[in-house]
Amino acid sequence: MPSAQSKWWQSATVYQIYPRSFADSNGDGVGDIPGIISRLDYLQTLGIGVIWLSPIFASPMDDNGYDISDYQAIAPEFGTLDDFDQLVAEARARGIGILLDLVVNHTSDEHRWFIDARSAREAAYRDFYVWRDPAPGGGVPTGLQSIFGGPAWTFDERTGQYYLHQFSRRQPDLNWENPALRAEIYQMMNWWLARGIAGFRMDVIDLIGKDVDRGVTANGPRLHEYIQEMHRETFGGSDAPTVGEAWSATPEAALLYSGRDRGELSMVFQFEHVTQQWHETWGKWQPKPFDLVALKRVINRWQYALADDGWNSLFWGNHDLPRAVSKYGDDKGFRVQSAKMLATVLHFLRGTPYVYQGEEIGMTNVPFTSIEQFRDIETLNMHRLHLAAGLPESDFIAGANANGRDNARTPMQWSAAPHGGFTTGTPWIEANPNCAEINVEASLADDGSVLAHYRRLVALRKELPVMVHGRYQSHLDGHPQIMAYTRTLGGQRVAVIANFFGRPVAADVPEEMQVAGKSLAANYSPVSAIGKQVLLQPFEAIAVGSQ
Ligand code: TEU
Ligand code: CA
């Protein structure tokens, strides 16, 4: 029921912008804040309520801004603080709030804290980072590996100790056990809140409670204590949406992060449905055949576990993941149908939906053929390590094209102009060659576009409380080709049924799914009633609502 607990961000849709690749206003090949401002009208017509802005802070850009050198300055290539204030104001005028990307597990090695910290063992900021002596006999203090490959420890010659970095060596980990560090972070957060931002997306927040001496990185013993303190010291008491990125989260942990009485975050952003499709040994670099039954098992588990408390984010892709339609649909023969099917299935679930830039027009993975075309630090590091370990170059490129992070980072495709109209100059990363056909301008002119479908879903969520608060029930769990579920609120029911494959399928429909009323979403002809049996075309998805 839209009760006292109902929050505005539960019926809003979030749109993620990766600033570097969204819109370039001055022809230097890099997207920027004025470019974003120039596209706010487009986002308003899409109907979104929130923008999650990937980092725009000062940074040497070792990891495209996830390595921050000054939390209170804007990177010059993205614009100025005035540009940012204007973005907040212009977005607000369109009913859109801005979520800043809070990257506080680590800083850049060029942050003044780290520059001071590495200057001497007695330096004032030494204890803002995690330093350890070499192991007895020399070498790294522990065997911990960095997420971007190689050891998570780098030796600092001048002071004779190792510092921790769970990502690149240019992203030293902050030491959250230090109360002085925590106080600085909260002060910085309050400074941004006072500038009128809506809230925060929190980068790898599950890592801040690390206890490296016990080999613990994610989900450390003091994690929830820190988040509760942050809540109290900053956004607590406001209705600011806060989203914790947590690769390690289980549904049980999600209730701790986002339970209504926990005083922590609004919602979690977890990846179990993503990693479930990764190879057990080789992770994302070794594609494995798509398994719908396993995917449904994960989605169901989360939907049921967070039915009464806690709140989840709903997404197929982001800036670290391949394009949704390429990963879970068919970006060749059924691009439009499968992109709409995926959107339908996701947007009727319980949680807050996220649309990653370009997803709403069905942008696809990029067909790079040479390592020279890639830009992502993780991809480039892994290329070096995997080739050294004997993986053939062509296998690696195939893996990177299937699952690498650059798939999501090619320029936003605005029009059929060169580079998709993203820039008048040379883009920092090549545009997808399909930008001539797949772009915003063409989508706006086509009632049957993926974009038109997204607009409809985003609007529906604001109109139909059942989409936000309805009880979730899955059906046909063991069916290898179909995903089906109902949402029910009072006397209202919505049934969603979708074919995840490129061949038609017929199925008997359980009674609870037999809903008659009106078509809420369809990617073939509208269907206003589901009877005892259903025949679905390739990638067909229908959503039917009772009157
Ligand atoms: O991502 C966290 C993270 O762990 C990813 O790097 C992920 O593990 C990887 O892509 C899977 O192979 C966040 C940000 O979203 C990412 O862009 C940053 O690079 C990372 O943190 C470091 O800040
Ligand atoms: Ca620019």
Side-chain angles (χ1 to χ4, degrees):
M1 225 107 323
S3 59
Q5 275 120 18
S6 188
K7 299 279 203 272
W8 69 269
W9 39 258
Q10 294 179 315
S11 53
T13 298
V14 182
Y15 187 90
Q16 185 191 351
I17 291 181
Y18 197 67
R20 202 170 191 78
S21 307
F22 190 63
D24 174 20
S25 71
N26 61 354
D28 67 354
V30 174
D32 45 54
I33 296 172
I36 299 172
I37 295 173
S38 74
R39 298 295 180 174
L40 285 173
D41 286 341
Y42 166 71
L43 297 177
Q44 185 178 18
T45 59
L46 183 55
I48 56 126
V50 180
I51 291 171
W52 153 19
L53 202 56
S54 276
I56 36 79
F57 314 98
S59 164
M61 302 288 168
D62 190 47
D63 186 16
N64 289 352
Y66 284 90
D67 50 318
I68 297 170
S69 55
D70 185 345
Y71 287 106
Q72 284 164 247
I74 305 289
E77 60 211 286
F78 292 150
T80 64
L81 208 47
D82 282 345
D83 293 332
F84 180 80
D85 289 340
Q86 197 191 335
L87 172 64
V88 171
E90 295 269 345
R92 173 175 291 177
R94 291 167 179 80
I96 299 171
I98 305 280
L99 291 190
L100 281 185
D101 211 320
L102 186 76
V103 188
V104 291
N105 173 67
H106 45 269
T107 67
S108 160
D109 63 344
E110 293 185 23
H111 195 288
R112 65 181 171 82
W113 297 339
F114 191 70
I115 294 172
D116 175 79
R118 75 187 324 179
S119 68
R121 288 207 189 191
E122 313 70 47
Y125 289 93
R126 181 77 173 176
D127 198 35
F128 271 37
Y129 295 87
V130 183
W131 300 93
R132 292 292 181 272
D133 288 331
V140 288
T142 74
L144 187 66
Q145 291 290 300
S146 142
I147 291 167
F148 289 163
W153 297 101
T154 288
F155 189 63
D156 184 65
E157 294 284 344
R158 178 153 18 157
T159 57
Q161 283 188 312
Y162 285 84
Y163 67 88
L164 175 73
H165 55 89
Q166 298 192 67
F167 294 90
S168 98
R169 64 173 60 208
R170 305 208 48 198
Q171 293 166 295
D173 269 58
L174 286 166
N175 173 21
W176 274 73
E177 285 172 26
N178 182 348
L181 173 266
R182 303 204 300 274
E184 289 264 12
I185 299 288
Y186 305 150
Q187 212 179 343
M188 174 273 285
M189 290 173 71
N190 286 326
W191 186 82
W192 284 110
L193 286 165
R195 286 200 108 83
I197 65 160
F200 296 100
R201 175 268 184 182
M202 301 180 183
D203 194 62
V204 290
I205 203 68
D206 56 341
L207 303 184
I208 65 170
K210 64 214 155 217
D211 181 357
V212 276
D213 299 320
R214 280 172 196 76
V216 177
T217 54
N219 252 322
R222 296 182 67 187
L223 172 64
H224 293 284
E225 173 197 329
Y226 296 152
I227 299 176
Q228 286 173 359
E229 180 184 75
M230 175 193 282
H231 175 110
R232 276 197 310 277
E233 300 293 324
T234 64
F235 50 81
S238 76
D239 62 356
T242 51
V243 188
E245 185 201 28
W247 286 75
S248 67
T250 57
E252 296 68 40
L255 288 168
L256 302 180
Y257 288 110
S258 65
R260 70 174 74 85
D261 299 326
R262 294 278 307 167
E264 297 195 19
L265 306 179
S266 311
M267 58 187 121
V268 286
F269 197 96
Q270 56 76 32
F271 296 79
E272 200 180 336
H273 61 297
V274 172
T275 54
Q276 195 287 315
Q277 301 290 327
W278 288 2
H279 193 274
E280 290 75 8
T281 317
W282 300 105
K284 69 180 188 179
W285 304 103
Q286 182 69 50
K288 109 179 178 187
F290 176 62
D291 181 346
L292 178 64
V293 173
L295 178 75
K296 290 191 291 184
R297 202 179 304 128
V298 171
I299 291 175
N300 290 341
R301 200 155 73 86
W302 279 86
Q303 288 288 305
Y304 292 131
L306 274 54
D308 300 321
D309 194 16
W311 197 253
N312 207 351
S313 304
L314 307 169
F315 65 94
W316 291 123
N318 75 1
H319 66 295
D320 293 332
L321 302 174
R323 291 284 174 181
V325 68
S326 303
K327 179 75 192 174
Y328 303 99
D330 176 349
D331 64 6
K332 305 211 164 55
F334 295 102
R335 187 184 65 87
V336 170
Q337 293 92 330
S338 64
K340 291 180 184 176
M341 180 281 286
L342 291 167
T344 306
V345 161
L346 192 86
H347 283 244
F348 280 94
L349 291 172
R350 184 185 175 85
T352 294
Y354 285 67
V355 178
Y356 179 70
Q357 68 183 41
E359 175 189 330
E360 78 279 15
I361 56 167
M363 277 177 63
T364 67
N365 277 358
V366 76
F368 286 160
T369 51
S370 145
I371 193 68
E372 262 74 68
Q373 293 170 288
F374 290 89
R375 296 287 176 270
D376 169 35
I377 180 171
E378 181 188 51
T379 307
L380 298 178
N381 282 354
M382 290 299 174
H383 175 253
R384 205 166 17 80
L385 294 169
H386 281 66
L387 261 61
L391 187 76
E393 169 93 10
S394 57
D395 282 19
F396 184 84
I397 300 283
N401 278 334
N403 274 327
R405 308 201 299 182
D406 279 338
N407 286 304
R409 300 177 181 187
T410 61
M412 178 70 184
Q413 297 169 198
W414 295 105
S415 71
H419 316 299
F422 161 73
T423 181
T424 54
T426 306
W428 68 277
I429 186 171
E430 280 172 49
N432 194 314
N434 64 22
C435 60
E437 299 86 51
I438 304 173
N439 59 64
V440 169
E441 207 173 275
S443 307
L444 286 169
D446 174 7
D447 287 345
S449 65
V450 176
L451 177 62
H453 195 79
Y454 268 86
R455 280 179 164 180
R456 181 171 173 76
L457 293 171
V458 172
L460 270 178
R461 175 163 282 261
K462 292 187 271 191
E463 290 159 16
L464 291 181
V466 64
M467 258 174 107
V468 184
H469 299 286
R471 181 173 53 80
Y472 175 86
Q473 177 65 53
S474 70
H475 304 282
L476 305 175
D477 290 356
H479 199 293
Q481 200 174 333
I482 290 177
M483 177 159 169
Y485 61 86
T486 45
R487 303 287 308 281
T488 308
L489 185 70
Q492 259 257 310
R493 175 162 298 176
V494 174
V496 178
I497 182 160
N499 177 2
F500 264 73
F501 291 85
R503 39 178 204 281
V505 61
D508 292 335
V509 177
E511 213 172 300
E512 309 95 288
M513 288 277 309
Q514 296 171 22
V515 171
K518 62 175 179 181
S519 167
L520 296 176
N523 57 352
Y524 286 78
S525 325
V527 175
S528 56
I530 301 178
K532 287 189 164 64
Q533 284 189 323
V534 68
L535 171 68
L536 296 169
Q537 297 304 314
F539 295 103
E540 182 167 8
I542 56 180
V544 176
S546 63
Q547 288 295 6

